Amino acid sequence: MLSWPAPLLPTLPGAGPALRLFDTARGEVVEISPDRTARMYVCGITPYDATHLGHAATYLAFDLVNRVWRDAGHAVHYVQNVTDADDPLFERANRDGEDWIVLGMRETALFREDMTALRVLPPEDYVGAVESIPRIAAHVEALWDANLAYSLDDGTGDVYHDIAQAPGFGTESGYDEATMLRLSAERGGDPDRAGKRNALDPLLWRGVREGEPSWPGPRGVPGRPGWHVECASIALDTIGMGFDVQGGGSDLVFPHHEYSAVHAEALTATKPFARAYVHAAMIGLDGKKMSKSRGNLVFVSRLRGDGVDPMGVRLALLSGHYRTDRAWTPDLLTAALARLDTWRRATELPLGAPAGPVLAAVRERLTDDLDTPGALAAVDAWASATLAPAASGDAPPAAASLDDWDEQSPTVVRDVVDALLGIAL
Ligand code: 5CA
Ligand code: ZN
């Protein structure tokens, strides 16, 4: 599938510490040690509605991972999927009397525009579910042929993964069985379905139903893929096993990332699927998780349409830590636009406070589990030091040497903010 255009990425002098991120599976902040090419898979959108600020916040968190790696000299093989054939799409398209393919294409196009406006680095592989169906079906067939999957004998053609044969099951989320059963019921699973060997067995292939689109499937059974095997399969076919970061929002910890990992580990008889599972917290509005089904959404495209500077939106979302559930408020945007203005005024001055410390601090804060509030505070400190003499009409502090307080510094800081935070000043 078509990705979106890449913004230019300035190169910065020197290097920062190694990246550390919170890994859900290990329950702690761990050092991420990629090979020369770092590999990351981030779960993409289900394109039945426009991108809201919750989605944007999640993609921004992983954009920082991408930027930190590139700053450290890594090539990055970044993969993202598009769940362009799933129930929410069919339901919305039916409701609106629209073709589900047209709906998916339109919302995916809007997502690309939103990501471009927010200056998110594009994935190298942007892969749709529909275009992947033959390969997903082959993966399901392989599990079935290995007797790791079974079909229900109720005539539906539905195929399930036999989780009792998956020794790694439960290690990504670390949840107990009761929690898994509850979350499975809440998030699209079917623990109460009759005929399954285990209530927690996940759907691999859904046999064709009246009125639903279908494709040729495993052992010739027409239908469509389950959700988790979609991501397992796309990741396997692009970056393979043992990649560095599997990313998404915290609502994907279970069941989605647990099952994607278990499917891929069963398919390859190797471990791990990902070396770290990293989750961004939820953005809410008025005390509730922002979600399409609740309808409490603020869309990136709506803000853009209202003339809001996308860099203000980016800065507002980065002003909170990615692992803290937080609310979107109009005040957050107002504060971000004021901050953006301050940074712009400071970087437009002919002379600035030393840039070295701000570069070191931004690198240090971001590599420490993406501490964006800390990184932003470092730029704030530089901006106020730089603006202070201008405000008071004084020359730069007499003690500062020419090397320290110089004409390169505003340009360097602009590059730091651009390369590491993705903010164009
Ligand atoms: N297509 C699947 C992933 S394979 C999916 O979850 N799509 S989605 O459109 O519902 O969500 C896209 C991404 O945004 C996911 O990573 C999801 O975890 C994240 N997300 C959804 N709602 C929020 C929210 N309120 N705050 C932060 N992230 C969110
Ligand atoms: Zn996914």
Side-chain angles (χ1 to χ4, degrees), residues 138-157:
H139 283 135
V140 174
E141 189 164 279
L143 286 173
W144 203 353
D145 288 348
N147 282 323
L148 299 173
Y150 61 94
S151 71
L152 294 196
D153 53 15
D154 58 4
T156 56

PDB file of all heavy atoms in Angstrom, residues 138-157:
ATOM      1  N   ALA A 138      -2.335 -18.710   3.900  1.00  0.00           N
ATOM      2  CA  ALA A 138      -1.296 -19.754   3.878  1.00  0.00           C
ATOM      3  C   ALA A 138      -0.756 -19.993   5.290  1.00  0.00           C
ATOM      4  O   ALA A 138      -0.485 -21.137   5.679  1.00  0.00           O
ATOM      5  CB  ALA A 138      -0.168 -19.341   2.937  1.00  0.00           C
ATOM      6  N   HIS A 139      -0.614 -18.933   6.065  1.00  0.00           N
ATOM      7  CA  HIS A 139      -0.152 -19.087   7.444  1.00  0.00           C
ATOM      8  C   HIS A 139      -1.171 -19.856   8.284  1.00  0.00           C
ATOM      9  O   HIS A 139      -0.815 -20.709   9.100  1.00  0.00           O
ATOM     10  CB  HIS A 139       0.138 -17.721   8.073  1.00  0.00           C
ATOM     11  CG  HIS A 139       1.444 -17.125   7.623  1.00  0.00           C
ATOM     12  ND1 HIS A 139       1.577 -15.806   7.251  1.00  0.00           N
ATOM     13  CD2 HIS A 139       2.665 -17.664   7.489  1.00  0.00           C
ATOM     14  CE1 HIS A 139       2.843 -15.575   6.907  1.00  0.00           C
ATOM     15  NE2 HIS A 139       3.518 -16.684   7.044  1.00  0.00           N
ATOM     16  N   VAL A 140      -2.447 -19.546   8.093  1.00  0.00           N
ATOM     17  CA  VAL A 140      -3.488 -20.261   8.844  1.00  0.00           C
ATOM     18  C   VAL A 140      -3.468 -21.741   8.456  1.00  0.00           C
ATOM     19  O   VAL A 140      -3.536 -22.632   9.318  1.00  0.00           O
ATOM     20  CB  VAL A 140      -4.883 -19.638   8.584  1.00  0.00           C
ATOM     21  CG1 VAL A 140      -5.979 -20.480   9.243  1.00  0.00           C
ATOM     22  CG2 VAL A 140      -4.929 -18.201   9.098  1.00  0.00           C
ATOM     23  N   GLU A 141      -3.321 -21.984   7.157  1.00  0.00           N
ATOM     24  CA  GLU A 141      -3.278 -23.376   6.698  1.00  0.00           C
ATOM     25  C   GLU A 141      -2.089 -24.119   7.317  1.00  0.00           C
ATOM     26  O   GLU A 141      -2.198 -25.279   7.699  1.00  0.00           O
ATOM     27  CB  GLU A 141      -3.212 -23.418   5.174  1.00  0.00           C
ATOM     28  CG  GLU A 141      -3.372 -24.816   4.623  1.00  0.00           C
ATOM     29  CD  GLU A 141      -3.684 -24.804   3.130  1.00  0.00           C
ATOM     30  OE1 GLU A 141      -4.856 -24.604   2.761  1.00  0.00           O
ATOM     31  OE2 GLU A 141      -2.736 -24.966   2.334  1.00  0.00           O
ATOM     32  N   ALA A 142      -0.965 -23.422   7.425  1.00  0.00           N
ATOM     33  CA  ALA A 142       0.231 -24.065   8.011  1.00  0.00           C
ATOM     34  C   ALA A 142      -0.031 -24.453   9.467  1.00  0.00           C
ATOM     35  O   ALA A 142       0.356 -25.540   9.906  1.00  0.00           O
ATOM     36  CB  ALA A 142       1.429 -23.118   7.910  1.00  0.00           C
ATOM     37  N   LEU A 143      -0.708 -23.592  10.221  1.00  0.00           N
ATOM     38  CA  LEU A 143      -1.028 -23.921  11.618  1.00  0.00           C
ATOM     39  C   LEU A 143      -1.995 -25.101  11.684  1.00  0.00           C
ATOM     40  O   LEU A 143      -1.875 -25.986  12.537  1.00  0.00           O
ATOM     41  CB  LEU A 143      -1.642 -22.710  12.331  1.00  0.00           C
ATOM     42  CG  LEU A 143      -0.680 -21.570  12.697  1.00  0.00           C
ATOM     43  CD1 LEU A 143      -1.453 -20.366  13.231  1.00  0.00           C
ATOM     44  CD2 LEU A 143       0.340 -22.036  13.746  1.00  0.00           C
ATOM     45  N   TRP A 144      -2.930 -25.089  10.771  1.00  0.00           N
ATOM     46  CA  TRP A 144      -3.937 -26.158  10.712  1.00  0.00           C
ATOM     47  C   TRP A 144      -3.259 -27.488  10.365  1.00  0.00           C
ATOM     48  O   TRP A 144      -3.481 -28.518  11.007  1.00  0.00           O
ATOM     49  CB  TRP A 144      -4.970 -25.760   9.660  1.00  0.00           C
ATOM     50  CG  TRP A 144      -6.317 -26.391   9.789  1.00  0.00           C
ATOM     51  CD1 TRP A 144      -6.696 -27.373  10.659  1.00  0.00           C
ATOM     52  CD2 TRP A 144      -7.469 -26.064   9.003  1.00  0.00           C
ATOM     53  NE1 TRP A 144      -8.009 -27.676  10.475  1.00  0.00           N
ATOM     54  CE2 TRP A 144      -8.522 -26.891   9.456  1.00  0.00           C
ATOM     55  CE3 TRP A 144      -7.731 -25.166   7.976  1.00  0.00           C
ATOM     56  CZ2 TRP A 144      -9.807 -26.830   8.905  1.00  0.00           C
ATOM     57  CZ3 TRP A 144      -9.002 -25.118   7.433  1.00  0.00           C
ATOM     58  CH2 TRP A 144     -10.034 -25.936   7.884  1.00  0.00           C
ATOM     59  N   ASP A 145      -2.388 -27.436   9.345  1.00  0.00           N
ATOM     60  CA  ASP A 145      -1.687 -28.662   8.919  1.00  0.00           C
ATOM     61  C   ASP A 145      -0.786 -29.209  10.020  1.00  0.00           C
ATOM     62  O   ASP A 145      -0.526 -30.412  10.082  1.00  0.00           O
ATOM     63  CB  ASP A 145      -0.849 -28.388   7.656  1.00  0.00           C
ATOM     64  CG  ASP A 145      -1.740 -28.211   6.436  1.00  0.00           C
ATOM     65  OD1 ASP A 145      -2.950 -28.517   6.535  1.00  0.00           O
ATOM     66  OD2 ASP A 145      -1.228 -27.746   5.395  1.00  0.00           O
ATOM     67  N   ALA A 146      -0.300 -28.309  10.877  1.00  0.00           N
ATOM     68  CA  ALA A 146       0.565 -28.760  11.980  1.00  0.00           C
ATOM     69  C   ALA A 146      -0.262 -29.204  13.191  1.00  0.00           C
ATOM     70  O   ALA A 146       0.297 -29.444  14.275  1.00  0.00           O
ATOM     71  CB  ALA A 146       1.513 -27.623  12.375  1.00  0.00           C
ATOM     72  N   ASN A 147      -1.579 -29.272  13.005  1.00  0.00           N
ATOM     73  CA  ASN A 147      -2.498 -29.636  14.097  1.00  0.00           C
ATOM     74  C   ASN A 147      -2.440 -28.674  15.278  1.00  0.00           C
ATOM     75  O   ASN A 147      -2.732 -29.059  16.411  1.00  0.00           O
ATOM     76  CB  ASN A 147      -2.231 -31.065  14.594  1.00  0.00           C
ATOM     77  CG  ASN A 147      -2.823 -32.074  13.635  1.00  0.00           C
ATOM     78  OD1 ASN A 147      -3.898 -31.836  13.072  1.00  0.00           O
ATOM     79  ND2 ASN A 147      -2.105 -33.164  13.413  1.00  0.00           N
ATOM     80  N   LEU A 148      -2.052 -27.439  14.996  1.00  0.00           N
ATOM     81  CA  LEU A 148      -2.058 -26.416  16.049  1.00  0.00           C
ATOM     82  C   LEU A 148      -3.337 -25.586  15.961  1.00  0.00           C
ATOM     83  O   LEU A 148      -3.605 -24.748  16.818  1.00  0.00           O
ATOM     84  CB  LEU A 148      -0.835 -25.504  15.909  1.00  0.00           C
ATOM     85  CG  LEU A 148       0.514 -26.226  16.028  1.00  0.00           C
ATOM     86  CD1 LEU A 148       1.669 -25.285  15.709  1.00  0.00           C
ATOM     87  CD2 LEU A 148       0.688 -26.816  17.433  1.00  0.00           C
ATOM     88  N   ALA A 149      -4.113 -25.836  14.896  1.00  0.00           N
ATOM     89  CA  ALA A 149      -5.387 -25.140  14.712  1.00  0.00           C
ATOM     90  C   ALA A 149      -6.454 -26.171  14.382  1.00  0.00           C
ATOM     91  O   ALA A 149      -6.130 -27.283  13.947  1.00  0.00           O
ATOM     92  CB  ALA A 149      -5.264 -24.113  13.591  1.00  0.00           C
ATOM     93  N   TYR A 150      -7.705 -25.801  14.579  1.00  0.00           N
ATOM     94  CA  TYR A 150      -8.815 -26.720  14.299  1.00  0.00           C
ATOM     95  C   TYR A 150     -10.012 -25.921  13.810  1.00  0.00           C
ATOM     96  O   TYR A 150     -10.137 -24.733  14.106  1.00  0.00           O
ATOM     97  CB  TYR A 150      -9.182 -27.512  15.565  1.00  0.00           C
ATOM     98  CG  TYR A 150      -9.629 -26.629  16.721  1.00  0.00           C
ATOM     99  CD1 TYR A 150     -10.984 -26.359  16.953  1.00  0.00           C
ATOM    100  CD2 TYR A 150      -8.690 -26.032  17.573  1.00  0.00           C
ATOM    101  CE1 TYR A 150     -11.384 -25.539  18.006  1.00  0.00           C
ATOM    102  CE2 TYR A 150      -9.083 -25.200  18.619  1.00  0.00           C
ATOM    103  CZ  TYR A 150     -10.424 -24.946  18.825  1.00  0.00           C
ATOM    104  OH  TYR A 150     -10.819 -24.123  19.852  1.00  0.00           O
ATOM    105  N   SER A 151     -10.888 -26.595  13.074  1.00  0.00           N
ATOM    106  CA  SER A 151     -12.100 -25.897  12.637  1.00  0.00           C
ATOM    107  C   SER A 151     -13.272 -26.393  13.464  1.00  0.00           C
ATOM    108  O   SER A 151     -13.291 -27.543  13.913  1.00  0.00           O
ATOM    109  CB  SER A 151     -12.357 -26.124  11.154  1.00  0.00           C
ATOM    110  OG  SER A 151     -12.752 -27.447  10.945  1.00  0.00           O
ATOM    111  N   LEU A 152     -14.231 -25.513  13.682  1.00  0.00           N
ATOM    112  CA  LEU A 152     -15.432 -25.914  14.426  1.00  0.00           C
ATOM    113  C   LEU A 152     -16.287 -26.793  13.509  1.00  0.00           C
ATOM    114  O   LEU A 152     -16.313 -26.581  12.299  1.00  0.00           O
ATOM    115  CB  LEU A 152     -16.224 -24.678  14.844  1.00  0.00           C
ATOM    116  CG  LEU A 152     -15.560 -23.741  15.856  1.00  0.00           C
ATOM    117  CD1 LEU A 152     -16.601 -22.808  16.470  1.00  0.00           C
ATOM    118  CD2 LEU A 152     -14.871 -24.526  16.970  1.00  0.00           C
ATOM    119  N   ASP A 153     -16.987 -27.751  14.115  1.00  0.00           N
ATOM    120  CA  ASP A 153     -17.809 -28.616  13.245  1.00  0.00           C
ATOM    121  C   ASP A 153     -19.264 -28.154  13.242  1.00  0.00           C
ATOM    122  O   ASP A 153     -20.184 -28.958  13.253  1.00  0.00           O
ATOM    123  CB  ASP A 153     -17.661 -30.090  13.645  1.00  0.00           C
ATOM    124  CG  ASP A 153     -17.924 -30.304  15.118  1.00  0.00           C
ATOM    125  OD1 ASP A 153     -18.501 -29.366  15.732  1.00  0.00           O
ATOM    126  OD2 ASP A 153     -17.576 -31.364  15.653  1.00  0.00           O
ATOM    127  N   ASP A 154     -19.471 -26.832  13.240  1.00  0.00           N
ATOM    128  CA  ASP A 154     -20.843 -26.306  13.216  1.00  0.00           C
ATOM    129  C   ASP A 154     -21.217 -25.767  11.836  1.00  0.00           C
ATOM    130  O   ASP A 154     -22.199 -25.035  11.689  1.00  0.00           O
ATOM    131  CB  ASP A 154     -21.007 -25.211  14.287  1.00  0.00           C
ATOM    132  CG  ASP A 154     -20.028 -24.056  14.086  1.00  0.00           C
ATOM    133  OD1 ASP A 154     -19.278 -24.059  13.076  1.00  0.00           O
ATOM    134  OD2 ASP A 154     -19.996 -23.145  14.923  1.00  0.00           O
ATOM    135  N   GLY A 155     -20.356 -26.089  10.842  1.00  0.00           N
ATOM    136  CA  GLY A 155     -20.684 -25.680   9.484  1.00  0.00           C
ATOM    137  C   GLY A 155     -20.286 -24.254   9.121  1.00  0.00           C
ATOM    138  O   GLY A 155     -20.510 -23.814   7.998  1.00  0.00           O
ATOM    139  N   THR A 156     -19.702 -23.517  10.072  1.00  0.00           N
ATOM    140  CA  THR A 156     -19.337 -22.122   9.770  1.00  0.00           C
ATOM    141  C   THR A 156     -18.027 -22.025   8.998  1.00  0.00           C
ATOM    142  O   THR A 156     -17.772 -21.034   8.327  1.00  0.00           O
ATOM    143  CB  THR A 156     -19.161 -21.300  11.073  1.00  0.00           C
ATOM    144  OG1 THR A 156     -18.171 -21.963  11.892  1.00  0.00           O
ATOM    145  CG2 THR A 156     -20.466 -21.165  11.835  1.00  0.00           C
ATOM    146  N   GLY A 157     -17.168 -23.024   9.158  1.00  0.00           N
ATOM    147  CA  GLY A 157     -15.841 -22.936   8.532  1.00  0.00           C
ATOM    148  C   GLY A 157     -14.857 -22.156   9.372  1.00  0.00           C
ATOM    149  O   GLY A 157     -13.733 -21.883   8.933  1.00  0.00           O
TER     150      GLY A 157
END
